């Protein structure tokens, strides 16, 4: 088994071989060093179709980590994906994993620039993959003006904690549109849409 997963993934990234990355590392014991979820080709196509059907031309991924997932979504679907991370010090230090897209760095308390970005996101989907900070999630949603959310994370019987969960309660404003399992991993991609406000 390959020991230096980070170096090998970096090499495959330079060769733009996203398929080898997901096929080789989906079940690798060290996969979380770089990314928590390695979607299948069917999953990428599912995300792409949902985005097209919901008229989203962009994805803003909150807590994107290395940005590997975001780079692969862009490679496979052609959709523009940006990534947001907190804690600039960690992401610029020498022990941090490599980053596969430029990171937008924000403060734990959302700064003016991030609030303004969220307010301009009418045609974007907000993505949270293995996010684990409910207060921050609520804060992002407070300013997000778009109508689509993608939550990727473990189902209840995987015994891994994330918040929000793919099938957790997102509040009355959001309803589940479509979902798909990531291979047979018990991780799910759940797409939500904002409910129409009836006046
Ligand atoms: C478990 S990791 C998942 C990383 C990546 N999405 C993945 O699937 O590999 C959760 C990430 O959320 C980030 N995070 C936590 N609070 C955040 C906040 N308020 N804004 C943006 N990112 C945040 C953490 O720094 C961490 O990288």
């Amino acid at each position: 088994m390959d020991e230096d997963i980070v170096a090998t993934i970096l090499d495959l990234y330079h060769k733009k071989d996203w398929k080898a990355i997901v096929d080789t590392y989906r079940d690798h014991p060290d996969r979380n060093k770089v990314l928590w979820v390695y979607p299948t080709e069917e999953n990428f196509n599912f995300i792409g179709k949902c985005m097209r059907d919901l008229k989203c031309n962009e994805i803003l991924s909150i807590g994107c980590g290395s940005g590997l997932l975001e780079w692969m979504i862009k490679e496979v679907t052609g959709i523009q994906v940006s990534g947001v991370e907190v804690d600039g010090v960690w992401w610029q230090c020498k022990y941090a994993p490599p980053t596969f897209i430029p990171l937008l760095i924000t403060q734990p308390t959302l700064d003016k620039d991030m609030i303004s970005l969220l307010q301009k996101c009418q045609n974007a989907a907000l993505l949270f993959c293995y996010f684990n900070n409910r207060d921050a999630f609520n804060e992002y949603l407070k300013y997000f003006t778009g109508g689509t959310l993608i939550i990727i994370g473990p189902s209840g019987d995987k015994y891994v904690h994330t918040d929000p969960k793919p099938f957790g309660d997102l509040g009355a404003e959001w309803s589940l549109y479509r979902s798909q399992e990531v291979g047979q991993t018990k991780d799910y991609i759940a797409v939500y849409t904002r409910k129409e406000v009836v006046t």
Side-chain angles (χ1 to χ4, degrees), residues 35-36 62-65 85-86 91 129-131 133 136 140:
L35 172 63
W36 281 77
I62 309 296
C64 64
E85 257 301 332
V86 75
W91 287 104
C129 178
Y130 264 77
F131 199 67
N133 184 339
Y140 282 102

Side-chain angles (χ1 to χ4, degrees), residues 31-32 34-37 61-67 69-70 84-87 90-91 104 106-110 128-133 136-137 140 152 162:
R31 63 189 178 280
N32 296 352
V34 187
L35 172 63
W36 281 77
V37 172
S61 175
I62 309 296
C64 64
S66 72
L69 173 68
E70 291 68 16
V84 175
E85 257 301 332
V86 75
D87 186 4
W90 162 244
W91 287 104
L104 299 168
T106 189
Q107 303 308 312
T109 304
L110 296 186
F128 295 85
C129 178
Y130 264 77
F131 199 67
N132 199 3
N133 184 339
F137 171 75
Y140 282 102
I152 305 179
T162 63

